[in-house]
Amino acid sequence: MPDRITRADVQHVATLARVALTDDEIDHLTGELGAILDHAAQVSALDTDGVPPTAHPLPLANVMRADTVHPSLDRDEVLGQAPAAEDGRFRVPRILGEAP
Amino acid sequence: MSEYETVIGLEVHCELATATKLFCSCRNEFGAEPNTNTCPVCLGLPGSLPVLNERVVEYALRLGEALQFEMPAQSIFHRKNYFYPDMPKDYQVSQYDEPICVNGALDLGDARIGIERAHMEEDTGKSLHVGGGGRIHDADHSLVDYNRAGVPLMEIVSRPDIRGAEQARAYVTELRAVLETIGISDVKMEEGSMRVDANVSVRPNNREELGTKVEVKNMNSLRSLGRAIDYEVERQIGLLDSGERVVQETRHWNEEAGRTDGMRSKEEAFDYRYFPEPDLVPVRPTDEMRAVALASVPELPAARRDRLATEWGISEQDARVLTGVSGLAEYAEQAVAAGGAAKDVVNWCTGDLLGYLNETGLAPGALPLAPDGLAELVALVADGTLSRGLAKDVLNECLAEPKRPKQVVEERGLAQVSDEGELGSVVDGILAANPDDVAAYRAGDDKARKKKRGFLMGEAMKAMKGKGNPQLLNRLLDERLEP
Amino acid sequence: MRSGELSAVEVAEQHLREIGARDGEIHAFNHVMRDEALAAAAEVDAAVGRGEDPGPLAGVPIALKDNLCTHGVPTTCSSKILDGWRPPYTATAVERVRAAGAVVLGKTNLDEFAMGSSTENSAFGPTRNPRDLSRVPGGSSGGSAAAVAAGFAPLALGSETGGSVRQPAALCGVVGVKPTYGAVSRYGLVAFASSLDQIGPFGATVTDAALLFDVIAGPDPLDSTSIPSPFPRVSPTLDDGINGLRIGLVEELTDAEGVAPEVVAAVERAAAALEAAGATVERLSAPSTTYGLSAYYLIAPAEASSNLARYDGVRYGLRVDGDDVADMNARTRGAGFGAEVKRRIMLGTYALSAGYYDAYYAQAQRVRTLIIRDFERAYERFDALLSPTSPTTAFELGAKTADPLAMYLNDVCTIPTNLAGHAAMSVPFGTGADGLPIGVQVLANALQEPVMFRVARVIEQSAP
Ligand SMILES: [Mg+2]
Ligand SMILES: [Zn+2]
């Protein structure tokens, strides 16, 4: 069973999840996530040797569609929902760092 | 330099030439007005769900057949989680430990390059950086267009079997030819429909263990791929020679500066948190799907090279040039089918025509001179109507404005004169008008004779305005000078 | 209306009047679609006037959980982060109820992004239980359950990930159904945990819920996980009785942590009623189901952490400005998500992160396999299973908000069905000492809704 979650873990996870948290929230979450994970750890303790994981409850395969074009959305409607738009595009603050 | 061995693995992303995107029915189209090819699915709107494009699977299986891949009974999609504004869901639907193709290979004649895997995944949107000269780091803000988001990609990951820039270029050239031949991608590096990242490392000769690898990105032509690898190899050797370490990182090729730069990324370790995509179900290629894929693979570039070398008696090198340029081999084969002599057709294709293609960026299929036009030109030279020199002029004219070679010959009265009587009297006139030169020829040594003969031949050709059949003129001149 | 005595417009006006008069204190709705409802009702009346078939739900008012996308109409998931968002498209299930002639009255309150069991985790304030305004209606589909219980609409759509239809149905004294995974298209249902989510109907009666189920179930080419063959209809066999059916009482779900004795007693009385109607009832053990809650609280948050990444302030909804795009993302998400949503995103991100995947997420998926096997064994012997829906009757507002684990325990009886992808529903069966409704749960194998509804119908008819 993994070690109990620390405040630093919570901070790292918040960075991964892109959520700005206050110090207070980090404190609370450290305790709460610890308690929930302790409960969840019941499953970590179970012997599941040779049991395959179920990612999906349905036994379906090969669900596909034809390569046929359907109309796209109206751009004005799409951009009308954006917090900021410019020149037919979504406007965002400067991007630090290239895509990985 | 020779103390180190270069080890390269290439990751090639190629956009598939489908009508629609990977998971939605929006048009897969280059160059449309921004954000006009978008829908709830490819914008990642809440509540939207992906549905797999069957053509993508068909193309992936075709690629599998072409590159000798194994195609396992089941393949599944995973989510690769990371935040980036050009990615509408902030995760990429990709494949992870169960890709559609595994263990393939590409033969380069002198080497066999292993290919670890090929998998299906979605492309991202495109960002435009405003202010700061359009560069990402100095920009004031950025603008995002999601037309490309969700376009189907195949990511093809080679094993670290490549041993230098030259071989890397050969691998990409051959891979591109295969992708093109099987009709699944436009493979245009310049338009970004084919993107190549290189994992480069060096290791001291005779050492088994691999050196620290650096991922080099942002090469947008074969030329920059070669330059980037050469630069990176030298950089790494320089570090090792001066006792420093190579740091595992991603570096960007800077075309203008001719160097790779470390990427300035925020202090944030990437942890992609891959997990099986619950919105999609597994792909299990059926016997029928596999049979269709197998049947749809045409003759591959290597097989075509072998055939052309045998049938036409051309060199391996010429055959490689033909199959290395998209559409050129087809063009040549059509010209030969239209009656052109194979070797002559190949000479034109790998010489003047290739030069013209490189200069204009046109595809062979778009040449103003159709293949049967080239066959016509070849025949005009073969039957003596045109000299090789005149034929070049005719070709240029046919390329400048769509015209048939025969039409140009007629319009400009270029047909070569091969009438023995007409040429004989011209030669006679020249000899009569230049008795001193004739005498000097007859009395002179080899050097003098050669000079005088050249002069007399030039006068005769001048009199014919360049249209005299040179072989015939030569013979007539010789007959008269040495009776 | 069904007897033709009232026009659809009159029915809609009547329900809108009720909502206007009493929803101030209940707060079942986030958004009432008055004009759209009256226009839709008028269209039904016109169709009837033209002699056309107005559809099986002609003129029946319906309420929609506010995580179902409705073109041009706010769809908030009761979250600040979707503030102002008007989807450019409509969910398949909503298209189907409209095509069947139903009149959509509005969008109902929920726990933010369907994460909760009391509808207190709403950015717009809690919904109150119409049976007792000091109590919660359950959740996360508390607004839809309350709307039906209050008589605001005879039908409603909710969604389930771990019991979010059945549990509020039990607490509000109405019928709520969790269909087989893949029975109802998820297209247009804002995702919480994709491998568990399913839209389900609420009705005042089993017959009403059956009618709605038959309208929304069936294949949808827009959802890769929708079952591709036509779904068996439940209404035609609803009153066929249960003579000879074998019913199993699931020990682990009945004796689960925190289940009140009066709830156990109600389930036993329901079992006796089923026997009286010709079924056999036996107890059975499905031991892996006791791990359901733990597995669920790894799987659901993990999927949620990925599904909710897209709320980043770029394309729609809330944006809180920042120095750069990553900073803007983090501030937007910090301000836009409530405490429970943050908790689950954090939990799920952690469970998927490097080094923990195998111990948590992959392990939970293996436990999921064990639970499915237990159910499969049970369905070899039984046609349907029986258990409590919720451990208790409706609790007081605020009673469990400070303790996330206590809140999660509300779903201990319902969660195993979601993990298995099977069908289950809750039927009101008597009341507790506090006078508040108790729900009995009927479970059935995948695609066995017709049997499940028949059993539920008998329970309904024999309810005290
Ligand atoms: Mg990739
Ligand atoms: Zn799209």
Side-chain angles (χ1 to χ4, degrees):
Chain A
M1 191 171 56
D3 293 339
R4 200 177 169 91
I5 191 165
T6 65
R7 202 170 187 282
D9 291 335
V10 172
Q11 238 151 355
H12 170 70
V13 171
T15 309
L16 272 183
R18 289 263 166 103
V19 185
L21 297 175
T22 62
D23 283 348
D24 218 34
E25 283 178 306
I26 293 174
D27 287 340
H28 273 108
L29 281 165
T30 306
E32 289 162 357
L33 296 186
I36 298 165
L37 286 167
D38 282 349
H39 193 268
Q42 285 181 16
V43 307
S44 316
L46 263 183
D47 180 13
T48 54
D49 259 12
V51 179
T54 297
H56 217 274
L58 279 180
L60 294 174
N62 295 345
V63 176
M64 295 183 270
R65 63 178 175 82
D67 185 24
T68 312
V69 175
H70 290 286
S72 292
L73 289 172
D74 174 61
R75 183 172 74 179
D76 291 342
E77 185 173 9
V78 167
L79 290 176
Q81 297 293 313
E86 184 178 316
D87 287 344
R89 297 174 174 89
F90 294 85
R91 181 183 163 137
V92 296
R94 68 208 174 106
I95 304 169
L96 299 182
E98 311 275 356
Chain B
M1 279 237 25
S2 58
E3 302 156 50
Y4 293 95
E5 184 184 35
T6 303
V7 177
I8 298 166
L10 294 179
E11 285 177 21
V12 174
H13 286 84
C14 77
E15 287 180 358
L16 297 181
T18 52
T20 64
K21 295 186 181 183
L22 179 52
F23 296 124
C24 67
S25 302
C26 288
R27 219 174 273 283
N28 169 11
E29 165 187 38
F30 182 80
E33 278 290 297
N35 291 304
T36 52
N37 291 335
T38 61
C39 74
V41 178
C42 58
L43 285 170
L45 297 188
S48 65
L49 294 170
V51 185
L52 180 60
N53 183 344
E54 64 183 5
R55 183 95 68 211
V56 173
V57 176
E58 185 189 327
Y59 283 2
L61 294 174
R62 198 184 294 176
L63 179 72
E65 291 294 348
L67 295 179
Q68 310 163 51
F69 276 111
E70 294 160 28
M71 289 163 278
Q74 165 168 299
S75 107
I76 63 171
F77 288 95
H78 268 70
R79 291 189 185 174
K80 180 181 183 181
N81 294 283
Y82 64 94
F83 284 85
Y84 210 75
D86 64 13
M87 211 169 47
K89 302 181 291 293
D90 289 300
Y91 59 79
Q92 181 192 31
V93 179
S94 180
Q95 297 196 284
Y96 183 53
D97 55 2
E98 294 186 53
I100 189 153
C101 296
V102 295
N103 290 328
L106 187 61
D107 288 315
L108 296 184
D110 54 343
R112 180 181 172 87
I113 307 299
I115 307 181
E116 191 179 307
R117 56 186 282 147
H119 69 247
M120 305 175 274
E121 64 180 24
E122 54 182 348
D123 208 345
T124 61
K126 270 188 197 166
S127 307
L128 191 78
H129 309 296
V130 182
R135 294 177 46 89
I136 183 168
H137 305 303
D138 312 320
D140 170 66
H141 62 275
S142 297
L143 301 175
V144 193
D145 168 14
Y146 293 106
N147 280 346
R148 202 181 65 179
V151 162
L153 295 175
M154 287 302 295
E155 180 176 334
I156 304 163
V157 183
S158 89
R159 296 193 186 281
D161 290 351
I162 297 166
R163 288 293 171 268
E166 195 51 44
Q167 198 170 56
R169 291 174 50 143
Y171 171 84
V172 173
T173 303
E174 183 68 2
L175 181 60
R176 192 158 69 169
V178 170
L179 293 168
E180 163 105 57
T181 301
I182 64 176
I184 69 170
S185 176
D186 294 337
V187 291
K188 292 185 184 133
M189 274 183 92
E190 291 74 13
E191 279 185 11
S193 65
M194 183 175 190
R195 304 193 278 277
V196 182
D197 302 334
N199 288 308
V200 180
S201 66
V202 297
R203 64 178 165 194
N205 275 339
N206 307 324
R207 195 199 279 178
E208 269 298 297
E209 185 192 337
L210 291 175
T212 305
K213 74 176 179 190
V214 169
E215 186 177 12
V216 186
K217 292 182 166 227
N218 199 38
M219 291 80 76
N220 54 15
S221 67
L222 269 183
R223 196 175 109 83
S224 54
L225 173 67
R227 289 180 68 203
I229 290 174
D230 281 338
Y231 175 88
E232 184 57 24
V233 167
E234 284 199 37
R235 188 186 72 85
Q236 292 185 17
I237 289 174
L239 284 173
L240 296 178
D241 278 348
S242 58
E244 291 176 65
R245 283 185 326 111
V246 174
V247 181
Q248 179 160 357
E249 61 176 338
T250 300
R251 298 179 69 85
H252 255 235
W253 171 245
N254 182 332
E255 182 75 35
E256 298 97 79
R259 60 159 195 267
T260 62
D261 294 326
M263 279 167 58
R264 191 152 53 96
S265 70
K266 257 196 153 183
E267 275 308 304
E268 182 179 309
F270 283 105
D271 178 346
Y272 295 127
R273 288 162 282 136
Y274 279 101
F275 73 101
E277 161 61 289
D279 288 330
L280 290 165
V281 301
V283 176
R284 297 202 184 105
T286 60
D287 291 346
E288 193 194 335
M289 289 158 76
R290 289 168 196 267
V292 167
L294 187 59
S296 57
V297 175
E299 182 185 40
L300 294 173
R304 177 179 237 164
R305 280 196 297 272
D306 289 348
R307 178 171 57 79
L308 296 185
T310 311
E311 283 179 9
W312 294 355
I314 60 174
S315 70
E316 154 79 17
Q317 178 53 32
D318 279 347
R320 202 166 271 285
V321 172
L322 287 180
T323 58
V325 177
S326 159
L328 192 55
E330 281 81 0
Y331 185 92
E333 291 212 56
Q334 284 164 18
V336 172
K343 281 196 177 168
D344 296 334
V345 165
V346 172
N347 280 337
W348 285 109
C349 284
T350 58
D352 291 67
L353 275 179
L354 182 58
Y356 181 81
L357 293 172
N358 287 339
E359 209 172 284
T360 56
L362 283 181
L367 278 173
L369 181 67
D372 58 345
L374 178 63
E376 192 176 301
L377 186 69
V378 165
L380 287 170
V381 175
D383 71 9
T385 307
L386 285 177
S387 66
R388 175 94 192 158
L390 272 178
K392 282 196 186 212
D393 293 345
V394 172
L395 176 67
N396 286 338
E397 196 161 333
C398 290
L399 292 173
E401 42 185 323
K403 276 183 184 172
R404 304 287 295 194
K406 277 186 180 161
Q407 186 188 355
V408 175
V409 168
E410 263 168 43
E411 280 174 11
R412 288 181 42 195
L414 285 175
Q416 188 167 266
V417 176
S418 300
D419 183 292
E420 198 165 334
E422 187 183 345
L423 292 179
S425 55
V426 167
V427 172
D428 289 342
I430 296 294
L431 296 184
N434 299 285
D436 295 350
D437 296 287
V438 173
Y441 172 87
R442 290 190 167 132
D445 55 11
D446 272 5
K447 199 177 156 198
R449 288 164 73 97
K450 200 173 176 189
K451 191 175 164 199
K452 287 300 167 193
R453 194 185 173 290
F455 166 76
L456 293 168
M457 180 67 188
E459 288 296 296
M461 200 49 118
K462 210 189 286 173
M464 288 305 299
K465 297 194 171 75
K467 288 186 283 181
N469 180 326
Q471 284 88 21
L472 195 50
L473 270 180
N474 265 317
R475 182 166 61 77
L476 294 171
L477 193 58
D478 285 346
E479 280 168 11
R480 281 161 177 73
L481 286 172
E482 322 249 347
Chain C
M1 201 283 309
R2 279 188 199 141
S3 61
E5 285 165 17
L6 287 172
S7 74
V9 168
E10 283 167 328
V11 171
E13 278 174 341
Q14 202 175 71
H15 286 84
L16 287 166
R17 261 199 307 278
E18 279 295 303
I19 294 167
R22 289 162 50 223
D23 199 42
E25 54 185 20
I26 294 173
H27 187 211
F29 285 91
N30 282 342
H31 181 77
V32 177
M33 295 158 61
R34 186 185 172 80
D35 295 343
E36 295 95 326
L38 291 174
E43 183 49 45
V44 170
D45 288 336
V48 172
R50 290 191 299 268
E52 295 165 13
D53 176 7
L57 298 179
V60 180
I62 189 167
L64 306 176
K65 189 176 184 179
D66 202 14
N67 60 354
L68 292 164
C69 288
T70 40
H71 191 168
V73 176
T75 300
T76 68
C77 297
S78 290
S79 179
K80 275 191 283 191
I81 212 156
L82 274 176
D83 192 24
W85 185 53
R86 289 169 188 263
Y89 77 108
T90 298
T92 299
V94 177
E95 298 274 16
R96 289 192 179 163
V97 297
R98 280 191 174 143
V103 171
V104 174
L105 295 181
K107 309 291 292 286
T108 62
N109 199 12
L110 62 149
D111 287 299
E112 184 177 1
F113 284 102
M115 296 178 187
S117 309
S118 68
T119 318
E120 290 167 290
N121 300 331
S122 164
F124 311 127
T127 296
R128 289 167 185 276
N129 192 319
R131 315 267 180 203
D132 178 345
L133 295 178
S134 71
R135 310 281 176 131
V136 302
S140 66
S141 311
S144 283
V148 174
F152 294 159
L155 296 177
L157 287 180
S159 72
E160 276 237 5
T161 306
S164 281
V165 169
R166 287 165 287 166
Q167 186 257 12
L171 269 50
C172 289
V174 299
V175 176
V177 183
K178 198 302 264 189
T180 300
Y181 186 86
V184 182
S185 169
R186 293 186 293 120
Y187 191 75
L189 165 66
V190 178
F192 163 9
S194 313
S195 77
L196 302 165
D197 292 346
Q198 192 62 195
I199 294 170
F202 285 101
T205 66
V206 172
T207 310
D208 286 355
L211 200 62
L212 179 51
F213 177 80
D214 284 338
V215 165
I216 60 175
D220 179 11
L222 298 178
D223 177 359
S224 309
T225 64
S226 108
I227 295 167
S229 47
F231 206 84
R233 285 165 48 80
V234 299
S235 297
T237 54
L238 194 58
D239 288 307
D240 284 4
I242 57 168
N243 198 24
L245 286 190
R246 301 156 304 165
I247 314 280
L249 190 82
V250 190
E251 282 172 354
E252 287 79 3
L253 300 186
T254 307
D255 308 335
E257 191 179 347
V259 179
E262 63 182 13
V263 174
V264 177
V267 173
E268 279 163 355
R269 280 202 306 280
L274 293 174
E275 277 186 317
T280 59
V281 180
E282 267 178 64
R283 295 176 76 85
L284 86 139
S285 172
S288 301
T289 57
T290 53
Y291 297 102
L293 193 69
S294 298
Y296 176 86
Y297 275 97
L298 294 171
I299 294 168
E303 292 183 13
S305 71
S306 174
N307 282 330
L308 272 67
R310 69 192 66 192
Y311 306 101
D312 60 6
V314 174
R315 291 159 299 276
Y316 43 80
L318 180 73
R319 171 182 294 186
V320 178
D321 277 323
D323 293 339
D324 59 74
V325 77
D327 188 40
M328 180 277 282
N329 294 155
R331 286 170 190 256
T332 299
R333 293 162 64 77
F337 290 136
E340 183 60 28
V341 174
K342 284 183 199 169
R343 191 147 48 226
R344 299 209 197 180
I345 288 175
M346 294 288 291
L347 185 59
T349 304
Y350 182 75
L352 287 175
S353 64
Y356 298 107
Y357 181 89
D358 282 321
Y360 288 133
Y361 187 73
Q363 180 69 357
Q365 299 284 40
R366 282 189 278 269
V367 171
R368 190 171 186 180
T369 306
L370 295 178
I371 292 171
I372 292 172
R373 287 179 183 172
D374 274 6
F375 275 121
E376 276 170 358
R377 266 192 293 276
Y379 289 124
E380 282 167 16
R381 291 170 53 210
F382 299 103
D383 299 300
L385 307 177
L386 208 60
S387 86
T389 305
S390 164
T392 65
T393 57
F395 46 92
E396 302 268 344
L397 266 82
K400 300 183 181 180
T401 42
D403 182 357
L405 261 177
M407 189 68 93
Y408 296 171
L409 282 168
N410 280 297
D411 298 327
V412 70
C413 305
T414 47
I415 274 173
T417 305
N418 300 78
L419 290 170
H422 295 158
M425 65 192 286
S426 181
V427 195
F429 195 84
T431 54
D434 51 12
L436 290 169
I438 292 173
V440 166
Q441 180 172 222
V442 185
L443 304 86
N445 205 348
L447 305 175
Q448 294 305 306
E449 274 86 346
V451 172
M452 176 177 81
F453 270 89
R454 276 159 60 199
V455 175
R457 179 82 178 109
V458 171
I459 293 174
E460 177 181 58
Q461 283 167 331
S462 37

